[in-house]
Amino acid sequence: MLTILFDGIAYGMLLFVLACGLAVTLGLMNFVNLAHGAFAMAGGYITVTLVNRLGVPFLLSLPLAFLASAAIGLVFERTLYVHLYRKPHLDQVLFTIGLVFMAVAALDYVMGSSQVYVQLPEYLRGRFDVFGVGVGRYRLLIIVVCGLLTIALQLILSKTRFGARLRAAVDDERVARGMGINVNRVFALTFAFGSGLAGLGGALGVEMLGLDPTFPLKFMIYFLIVVTVGGTSSITGPFFASLLLGIGDVAGKYYVPTLGAFVIYTIMIVVLLWRPQGLFARSAAR
Amino acid sequence: MNSPVKTKSVTASDVSGLFAARARWHPLEIIFWLAAFSTIFLLPSKHLILTEIAILALFALSLDLILGYAGIISLGHAAFFGFGAYVAGLLGKNGIITEPLLALIVSGLATSVLGFVTSFLVLRGSDLTRLMVTLGIALMLRELANRYRDITGGADGLQGIVVDPVFGMFRFDIFGHTAFYYSLGVLFVLFLIARRIVNSPFGLSLRAVKANPLRASAISISVDGRLVAIYTLAAAYAGIAGALLTQTQAFASLAYFDFDRSADLLLVLIIGGTGYLYGGLIGAVVFKVLHDYLSILTPQYWLFWMGLLLVLIVLVGRERITGWTTPLRDLASRLDWRARSKKS
Amino acid sequence: MTLALETVGLERRFGGIVATSNVSLKVEKGARHALIGPNGAGKTTIINLLTGVLRPTAGRVLLDGEDITSLKAHARVKRGIARTFQINQLFGDLTPLETIGLAVSERMGAGSDFWRIAGSKSEVVDEVVRILNQFRLADVMDERTSILPYGKQRLLEIALAIACKPRVLLLDEPAAGVPEHERHDILAAVSALPKDVTVLLIEHDMDLVFSFADRISVLVNGALFVEGKPDEVARDPRVKAVYLGEDADV
């Protein structure tokens, strides 16, 4: 039971790191980025290549995956996404689906269509027992890394100057511009950071979620659930939504394997019927 | 009313004349359908792909009803297509209804029930919520079909579907002749119905709801009611399209629910343009021709070209891309009767 | 006198902010009632509460003595309360003809008719003709609404509300932003409203208020402040104090 809870939390935290960039960009520019998963996939493949082909230590590959994905995100934001902020949602949806398809096909071409694995170092494999609870070492690592990241994010948002600007821009873009905040820059940096986090999540997730070129399509629904259920006005909403989703999914697959993925869809529908604006959204959500 | 400025006043015949002109058939429309039907004789060797085009066109017409007329973005319209396909397949396989037209109607009705139920989820919330819900429902149905393999055949698909000859006379042949006449006929009839509906007060109110839901409700239009109605209707259309595919292929597969199919459909509609009914039809022709050409070029990476196309269409601007259909758009009645009224 | 419209202890909060506080407003049948107040007093919030765009946190709305608090916006219009908007809320792609046709069809129960071609009912057509002529929209009836001159759009705002044939009409700053040369049309349209229609007018333009209203309520900080006949309100020193520096017209 506790093991399932533990696995669920690890899964949920991973989802949070994967999706929180999306939540922030949605909240900030009301931009629907369905290609978010593609940045996560990029991070995953970077780690796999670094570790398996070049022999880079796994733990070192994680920050590299973050940086590389962030750089890719920055380039995309400045060259392509920036043209789409003022366009209708339909255009944003079409455009980002297009990007996903291109990424899927391109990675299929370069890396092959089969699932890839990362060679984990010895000390991250297996489980150990804590008071009878089986704790997977790798899952523990995920919880620690993602937990630290979440705390760091919360601190950045609440304590730093950049965080204050970001929150101001999320609250009211026009007012923020009027106050002399360079919203474009804030957004580019945030987007890059969010993409980097997705890349990091993708790298961490290779072992747990599996990685093949269809990753962005498979996990699109998870990302959407996290941001709609959690709302986009803060990062605590998506955080709890991710945990709910992670625990629900793991527990569902364990206890009622015949229902499988239905558990999360049921959660989604129930939340939607109960709180159409999202579980943790402010009443005046945009 | 006394006023310093003289303005002209209208009579009832002016007004009803203008209203009637909105619904009148434009010569281009007639040419379009004549061309479509002429392929029966002119392109007999292409009837297999023309059948696929007709079915895709009907599916895209269904999406146009909700996207073009009600502004609902769906990432999972394939849910209804697949559902209709499986209903028709199960009816045929288990010998419940083997008469094709009746099976088609039943599949459409069954899918409309699904559309009606799910519409209440779609009504709620923003575009983002709608994306999630529509995508989620399609995934859920796919999962269902996958799981109950003793009924649906699971990943192997639904096989052994029995379909009687159309009207008891025309057997489905391997060249796809009957399939094409049948599909084109169904498409035409459903198009006529859709055309009638969008020109009705109900259709007009849909455009109002899309343009400004706040004002629409302020003139006593029930916004939710209209959205539920059109979503239900669109579901029925998509279900019938799916059922047509099952009947003409004697096969249904899990792939009918795939996200790719929903995304393809968006592309089809965007190529042709939304909100004038012909967009999906034209888009289906262009899409299929393109698909055939690019698939021969690089069979595996069709997805890449489709993605590139989507990206380019958005970057260039949808209006400019579909600008080439402007003369056809005009036939959607607006400029046509406006031009006429200016002359008078 | 019988009341056409009444609110009882109406209250609306947004988070911690009280936008409408314990408003009990009484509008008599056939009245020309004006609701005035400085910017941010919560006038439009009250209209939104009356028409069902917003739900009150507390209190009730009565139309002809009937409680309509729980009705949705579109259902309230069917009961006979219609409004205009301070900022035009029109259907940009539709023509005035289609717009008015829509409202009239809806009122005559033909709005959800999906089989008849729009405009094929003669009662609907006659009514559309009457309204287009009354509001002098005939010459532009076939243009896209979004390209009409602002004054015409403003007229269409009012015409559209009238097309719902309301017993109570709420006008939210009908003359706002209308250029001087088009103003006359708006004022004429407002003063020509049928006598049996009860009108609640929200307005900043004091000339219009005092030429039009037979009763005035003053709203300050979301609460009713003073109510009375125009001359009483005009003389009231408290009203002057509130408006001092706010609006030179008073």
Side-chain angles (χ1 to χ4, degrees):
Chain A
M1 220 299 269
L2 284 172
T3 310
I4 291 164
L5 188 65
F6 180 76
D7 285 1
I9 291 173
Y11 186 27
M13 287 188 130
L14 186 57
L15 279 178
F16 172 69
V17 171
L18 279 167
C20 69
L22 180 63
V24 177
T25 48
L26 251 168
L28 188 54
M29 295 301 257
N30 196 14
F31 181 76
V32 181
N33 180 18
L34 295 179
H36 190 72
F39 295 101
M41 176 168 71
Y45 274 103
I46 287 163
T47 287
V48 168
T49 312
L50 286 175
V51 174
N52 293 5
R53 299 226 180 130
L54 305 174
V56 176
F58 178 71
L59 288 181
L60 179 62
S61 79
L62 296 178
L64 292 175
F66 172 87
L67 289 174
S69 309
I72 298 171
L74 190 64
V75 170
F76 270 84
E77 200 276 338
R78 284 291 92 187
T79 54
L80 293 175
Y81 281 37
V82 73
H83 303 296
L84 291 165
Y85 297 144
R86 305 263 165 243
K87 293 213 176 177
H89 278 159
L90 178 60
D91 279 321
Q92 300 173 355
V93 166
L94 295 170
F95 183 83
T96 52
I97 289 180
L99 283 186
V100 169
F101 282 161
M102 287 169 77
V104 168
L107 274 167
D108 193 328
Y109 180 72
V110 179
M111 308 293 289
S113 61
S114 51
Q115 190 169 344
V116 293
Y117 301 92
V118 65
Q119 287 152 13
L120 286 182
E122 196 59 48
Y123 58 85
L124 285 176
R125 296 186 203 164
R127 300 178 163 247
F128 57 89
D129 266 20
V130 180
F131 306 116
V133 178
V135 173
R137 289 169 200 266
Y138 190 72
R139 286 179 165 71
L140 185 64
L141 173 81
I142 286 183
I143 292 185
V144 170
V145 172
C146 297
L148 288 175
L149 275 173
T150 309
I151 294 167
L153 272 179
Q154 189 62 49
L155 286 177
I156 290 174
L157 282 179
S158 58
K159 294 276 189 280
T160 65
R161 212 173 140 74
F162 182 79
R165 288 171 178 216
L166 179 59
R167 278 181 290 127
V170 171
D171 271 352
D172 195 325
E173 191 200 321
R174 259 187 315 174
V175 172
R177 278 187 202 279
M179 280 157 50
I181 296 176
N182 186 342
V183 174
N184 293 346
R185 224 178 79 131
V186 168
F187 190 59
L189 286 175
T190 312
F191 191 92
F193 196 73
S195 306
L197 283 178
L200 178 63
L204 280 169
V206 176
E207 176 70 14
M208 223 172 130
L209 310 172
L211 182 64
D212 65 57
T214 62
F215 180 89
L217 294 174
K218 272 197 258 175
F219 283 88
M220 191 183 285
I221 185 75
Y222 285 81
F223 298 154
L224 283 173
I225 293 177
V226 168
V227 293
T228 38
V229 170
T232 54
S233 48
S234 68
I235 64 161
T236 37
F239 180 72
F240 287 112
S242 304
L243 283 185
L244 181 71
L245 191 61
I247 296 170
D249 202 24
V250 171
K253 279 178 179 151
Y254 183 82
Y255 287 111
V256 273
T258 44
L259 290 178
F262 288 108
V263 174
I264 59 158
Y265 300 132
T266 314
I267 292 177
M268 167 188 110
I269 288 171
V270 168
V271 167
L272 208 60
L273 288 175
W274 177 40
R275 294 284 300 268
Q277 300 299 332
L279 205 49
F280 306 100
R282 289 180 299 199
S283 56
R286 301 205 272 176
Chain B
M1 209 184 285
N2 284 329
S3 140
V5 192
K6 265 244 179 287
T7 47
K8 76 169 191 186
S9 59
V10 282
T11 61
S13 67
D14 296 342
V15 164
S16 51
L18 279 175
F19 270 123
R22 293 175 71 248
R24 200 167 292 144
W25 282 79
H26 189 283
L28 276 173
E29 287 184 275
I30 296 166
I31 291 170
F32 178 92
W33 285 105
L34 283 178
F37 278 103
S38 72
T39 56
I40 291 178
F41 311 105
L42 297 181
L43 297 170
S45 61
K46 301 277 185 202
H47 281 178
L48 285 172
I49 186 169
L50 284 170
T51 306
E52 288 177 33
I53 291 177
I55 293 171
L56 184 61
L58 179 58
F59 189 23
L61 176 62
S62 154
L63 184 67
D64 198 13
L65 287 177
I66 61 164
L67 181 61
Y69 287 89
I72 299 172
I73 309 176
S74 169
L75 280 186
H77 211 51
F80 302 125
F81 186 85
F83 188 80
Y86 271 86
V87 171
L90 290 170
L91 289 175
K93 187 189 179 190
N94 301 320
I96 303 166
I97 302 174
T98 51
E99 204 293 307
L101 272 177
L102 188 59
L104 208 59
I105 292 167
V106 172
S107 308
L109 287 177
T111 316
S112 72
V113 173
L114 178 70
F116 177 75
V117 173
T118 53
S119 68
F120 293 95
L121 291 168
V122 173
L123 284 183
R124 291 166 167 264
S126 56
D127 281 348
L128 187 72
T129 328
R130 288 172 173 176
L131 293 176
M132 175 190 78
V133 169
T134 49
L135 180 60
I137 288 167
L139 289 170
M140 219 162 140
L141 286 176
R142 188 185 194 283
E143 188 71 19
L144 262 179
N146 187 26
R147 213 145 280 258
Y148 292 93
R149 60 188 73 239
D150 20 332
I151 303 172
T152 62
D156 298 333
L158 195 60
Q159 294 170 4
I161 295 162
V162 182
V163 186
D164 288 348
V166 182
F167 299 129
M169 289 194 288
F170 307 101
R171 239 164 228 304
F172 286 103
D173 54 287
I174 55 162
F175 305 105
H177 298 314
T178 307
F180 179 54
Y181 310 151
Y182 177 54
S183 305
L184 186 61
V186 171
L187 172 65
F188 184 59
V189 169
L190 288 180
F191 176 85
L192 290 182
I193 294 173
R195 193 181 181 282
R196 180 113 195 178
I197 289 174
V198 299
N199 282 318
S200 70
F202 172 79
L204 199 55
S205 71
L206 284 176
R207 286 170 53 204
V209 166
K210 184 190 172 194
N212 192 337
L214 176 67
R215 186 57 188 241
S217 66
I219 56 171
S220 82
I221 294 171
S222 160
V223 172
D224 286 3
R226 295 298 147 89
L227 292 181
V228 167
I230 194 65
Y231 201 74
T232 305
L233 179 75
Y237 269 53
I240 291 175
L244 267 181
L245 189 60
T246 302
Q247 291 182 339
T248 54
Q249 312 259 325
F251 178 69
S253 96
L254 288 181
Y256 292 3
F257 290 107
D258 276 354
F259 172 71
D260 300 21
R261 198 169 283 263
S262 302
D264 280 354
L265 192 67
L266 278 170
L267 179 58
V268 167
L269 190 56
I270 295 311
I271 291 173
T274 58
Y276 73 111
L277 292 187
Y278 283 91
L281 277 52
I282 296 164
V285 178
V286 176
F287 179 87
K288 272 287 177 195
V289 170
L290 216 61
H291 181 268
D292 265 33
Y293 176 70
L294 289 174
S295 302
I296 292 164
L297 222 59
T298 49
Q300 268 182 294
Y301 304 109
W302 156 242
L303 205 57
F304 182 84
W305 299 113
M306 209 181 102
L308 186 64
L309 201 58
L310 278 168
V311 166
L312 288 179
I313 287 178
V314 174
L315 284 183
V316 175
R318 271 185 291 138
E319 311 72 33
R320 257 179 276 173
I321 291 286
T322 51
W324 63 276
T325 60
T326 310
L328 287 162
R329 281 172 167 272
D330 298 353
L331 66 82
S333 76
R334 303 185 52 84
L335 284 181
D336 179 40
W337 55 271
R338 199 153 293 147
R340 210 172 304 159
S341 71
K342 270 191 194 120
K343 264 177 250 149
S344 63
Chain C
M1 277 299 267
T2 43
L3 295 178
L5 184 66
E6 186 184 2
T7 69
V8 184
L10 209 57
E11 183 184 281
R12 169 74 199 198
R13 295 167 178 274
F14 295 100
I17 301 156
V18 184
T20 304
S21 150
N22 193 24
V23 168
S24 295
L25 185 69
K26 291 178 168 56
V27 181
E28 284 172 1
K29 211 161 241 159
R32 294 287 181 268
H33 198 125
L35 184 63
I36 63 171
N39 278 323
K43 301 184 294 286
T44 296
T45 304
I46 288 194
I47 294 245
N48 284 337
L49 290 169
L50 291 175
T51 53
V53 173
L54 291 174
R55 303 261 137 179
T57 322
R60 290 181 301 147
V61 180
L62 306 174
L63 182 67
D64 286 330
E66 238 183 303
D67 193 331
I68 57 166
T69 320
S70 61
L71 292 184
K72 288 190 175 177
H74 68 90
R76 294 190 193 197
V77 184
K78 285 216 159 61
R79 295 289 180 95
I81 178 166
R83 71 177 289 189
T84 67
F85 291 81
Q86 186 185 345
I87 298 162
N88 283 341
Q89 298 285 345
L90 297 166
F91 311 117
D93 277 342
L94 270 57
T95 63
L97 173 69
E98 291 170 321
T99 307
I100 300 292
L102 201 58
V104 173
S105 301
E106 194 63 38
R107 163 166 52 99
M108 295 190 164
S112 49
D113 188 337
F114 59 88
W115 201 241
R116 205 190 302 263
I117 297 296
S120 58
K121 267 191 156 176
S122 62
E123 316 92 275
V124 173
V125 169
D126 291 344
E127 180 70 3
V128 170
V129 167
R130 198 182 64 73
I131 291 171
L132 286 173
N133 286 334
Q134 183 191 338
F135 286 90
R136 310 196 311 122
L137 289 163
D139 48 343
V140 295
M141 68 177 176
D142 206 14
E143 308 282 347
R144 273 163 55 106
T145 300
S146 56
I147 61 166
L148 295 183
Y150 188 74
K152 287 288 184 194
Q153 293 195 19
R154 240 21 221 160
L155 275 175
L156 184 56
E157 265 287 335
I158 303 170
L160 193 49
I162 286 296
C164 301
K165 204 161 194 178
R167 282 174 291 149
V168 176
L169 175 64
L170 313 175
L171 295 172
D172 195 350
E173 298 195 32
V178 179
E180 201 52 45
H181 64 279
E182 288 177 317
R183 241 178 121 72
H184 173 86
D185 284 354
I186 306 283
L187 301 186
V190 170
S191 61
L193 291 171
K195 288 288 164 242
D196 55 337
V197 176
T198 308
V199 181
L200 180 65
L201 171 79
I202 287 188
E203 190 50 75
H204 266 301
D205 182 333
M206 290 305 145
D207 291 340
L208 178 53
V209 168
F210 282 95
S211 68
F212 174 80
D214 50 28
R215 190 114 193 129
I216 294 177
S217 297
V218 184
L219 196 72
V220 176
N221 290 332
L224 277 185
F225 187 60
V226 174
E227 196 192 310
K229 294 203 175 97
D231 50 336
E232 294 167 11
V233 172
R235 280 198 309 265
D236 195 309
R238 292 172 299 169
V239 175
K240 284 207 165 142
V242 166
Y243 266 91
L244 213 61
E246 286 273 358
D247 199 319
D249 289 328
V250 174

